[in-house]
Amino acid sequence: MKIVRVETFLVPPRWLFCRIETDEGVVGWGEPVVEGRAEVVRAAVGVLAEYLVGRDPLRIQDHWQVLSKGGFYRGGPVLSSAVAGIDQALWDIAGKVYGAPVHALLGGPVRDSVRVYAWVGGDEPARLVEEIGAQVEAGFTAVKMNAAGRTPAILSQAETAGVVERVAAAREVLGPHRDVAVDFHGRFSPAGARRVLHEIAPLHPLFAEEPLLPEHGHLLPGLVAASTVPIATGERLYGRSEFLPALAAGIAVAQPDLSHAGGISEVHRIASLAETYGAQLAPHCPLGPIALAASLQVAYSTPNFLIQEQSRGIHYNKDADLLSYVVDTEPFRFTDGQAHRTDLPGLGIDVDEKAVRAADRTGHAWRNPVWRHADGSFAEW
């Protein structure tokens, strides 16, 4: 069996899909994307496809090595994301060839269901209460919220109190038996993060996500030591070597993205590395159905898995939704806040190719906002 075609599709709201076809008619799907730079990743996939066409799709690990390391210049979000989507598609092909779900090929399931969480805003307390109430009504047992919007280097008393007020409002709705995760989104300075983590600790968040920018990773040990709140990070880390210092710093939760951090192959290895540090895996995934399907396959087969992000109802999804490009929505039917394992082959989803091709004719040019502080200076988004 040989790879005969590699195609990419720029689909709303902000995603990029990859389709790999073999000469025996087996097709695999992946989701290689950097949000806001999808066209750039598309070009990278095209370059990598030059190597893949004509080769055996089942040599997944060998292809991962060559695509990741075969160029003199390695790494970074664009290359790692291009490799990630290709890797997902190759695993999808392998599962279909062997008639087994990817989690079986990874060593078999360790759980029958995966806990998932829903995203809620966090910018305004009244709306937050309404949104969390709706997610609780839908059966979710955990939500994630933003800690704040534009954030100064040193928070005022009122700004700090605002974060605490919103997390407290969430806790009031959720009660003691459900969870709230708080996303700092890299918007806080180290000093600001320390101050806010201390203040929200009594509200018992599940974790605080990305309290520091990835370039401030050398400060993680001090932040972890200063707080009782479990620290999570990793959506902007792209391989084991980048996760190693974060894990050594004592983070509680590793959050690699299956569409950024080298795909199924690398995230499976990151999960094993995290396990040696006593850290849990909570894959980042505010993306489309293929990325989520790949994430769930890893989750089903990972002992130290914690919880899975998913994009149903997320604010980015204005022109399409998680379910817009799949034929059967059953794999993404969540009951009691859980996704349930199936034995469908490959990634376990049936992509609606007709809908994907139609969406690609429209495409998108999604860009993340550029924020500024009141004085006109740049603010982290």
Side-chain angles (χ1 to χ4, degrees):
M1 184 167 57
K2 305 295 182 187
I3 295 170
V4 295
R5 186 175 295 108
V6 179
E7 299 176 273
T8 52
F9 305 92
L10 203 62
V11 298
R14 57 179 192 154
W15 305 331
L16 182 71
F17 294 169
C18 173
R19 177 185 184 274
I20 298 181
E21 182 180 345
T22 71
D23 59 354
E24 295 185 9
V26 183
V27 171
W29 289 87
E31 193 168 334
V33 68
V34 173
E35 303 93 295
R37 300 289 185 270
E39 305 93 326
V40 183
V41 180
R42 184 179 218 176
V45 172
V47 172
L48 297 178
E50 296 172 5
Y51 172 81
L52 286 172
V53 171
R55 299 184 186 274
D56 180 357
L58 300 181
R59 297 190 62 177
I60 299 173
Q61 296 299 342
D62 186 64
H63 294 327
W64 193 95
Q65 296 293 322
V66 173
L67 297 180
S68 297
K69 303 176 181 179
F72 183 75
Y73 298 99
R74 307 175 181 181
V78 172
L79 177 61
S80 294
S81 298
V83 172
I86 290 170
D87 183 81
Q88 293 170 19
L90 295 179
W91 278 101
D92 194 24
I93 289 172
K96 291 171 180 175
V97 169
Y98 296 126
V102 168
H103 66 256
L105 304 183
L106 294 174
V110 296
R111 59 180 49 82
D112 297 322
S113 64
V114 162
R115 190 185 187 199
V116 298
Y117 64 83
W119 191 94
V120 294
D123 297 327
E124 198 274 316
R127 181 68 184 274
L128 181 67
V129 168
E130 178 185 335
E131 291 180 351
I132 293 176
Q135 299 299 350
V136 170
E137 184 70 22
F140 287 97
T141 61
V143 299
K144 187 171 77 177
M145 59 178 284
N146 280 328
R150 293 170 181 82
T151 306
I154 305 296
L155 281 74
S156 69
Q157 182 180 12
E159 288 162 335
T160 302
V163 177
V164 176
E165 178 186 359
R166 290 188 292 274
V167 179
R171 175 54 67 202
E172 180 69 22
V173 178
L174 292 165
H177 300 296
R178 300 184 184 91
D179 287 307
V180 58
V182 183
D183 190 354
F184 284 49
H185 218 255
R187 295 170 181 168
F188 288 64
S189 69
R194 281 196 300 273
R195 173 171 283 174
V196 170
L197 285 169
H198 174 74
E199 295 295 326
I200 67 172
L203 297 167
H204 207 87
L206 179 65
F207 56 74
E209 178 173 330
E210 210 173 25
L212 299 178
L213 289 165
E215 53 262 41
H216 291 156
H218 58 287
L219 301 177
L220 268 174
L223 190 70
V224 170
S227 177
T228 60
V229 177
I231 301 300
T233 197
E235 70 186 77
R236 289 187 275 185
L237 303 177
Y238 309 116
R240 285 161 289 164
S241 61
E242 295 184 20
F243 271 93
L244 183 58
L247 291 165
I251 65 168
V253 184
Q255 295 179 296
D257 190 305
L258 270 286
S259 283
H260 300 328
I264 291 168
S265 295
E266 184 69 352
V267 171
H268 190 241
R269 292 186 284 257
I270 290 168
S272 294
L273 178 64
E275 188 176 15
T276 68
Y277 284 89
Q280 305 299 298
L281 186 78
H284 179 258
C285 189
L287 294 169
I290 305 170
L292 179 57
S295 298
L296 290 173
Q297 293 297 324
V298 171
Y300 291 133
S301 58
T302 298
N304 56 318
F305 168 81
L306 177 66
I307 196 167
Q308 178 62 55
E309 182 173 25
Q310 53 84 31
S311 69
R312 290 274 293 274
I314 202 168
H315 61 294
Y316 301 118
N317 297 350
K318 298 188 187 313
D319 301 316
D321 184 70
L322 180 67
L323 306 181
S324 297
Y325 303 110
V326 292
V327 175
D328 180 9
T329 62
E330 184 66 17
F332 300 132
R333 183 171 65 86
F334 308 132
T335 55
D336 298 325
Q338 302 275 330
H340 297 276
R341 180 172 58 83
T342 75
D343 290 322
L344 296 171
L347 296 181
I349 59 171
D350 187 4
V351 174
D352 186 341
E353 186 171 328
K354 183 178 179 181
V356 170
R357 291 187 183 277
D360 182 58
R361 289 194 287 271
T362 301
H364 68 83
W366 188 87
R367 303 289 183 263
N368 66 248
V370 175
W371 280 1
R372 294 190 179 276
H373 293 295
D375 64 1
S377 61
F378 175 80
E380 290 287 345
W381 171 67

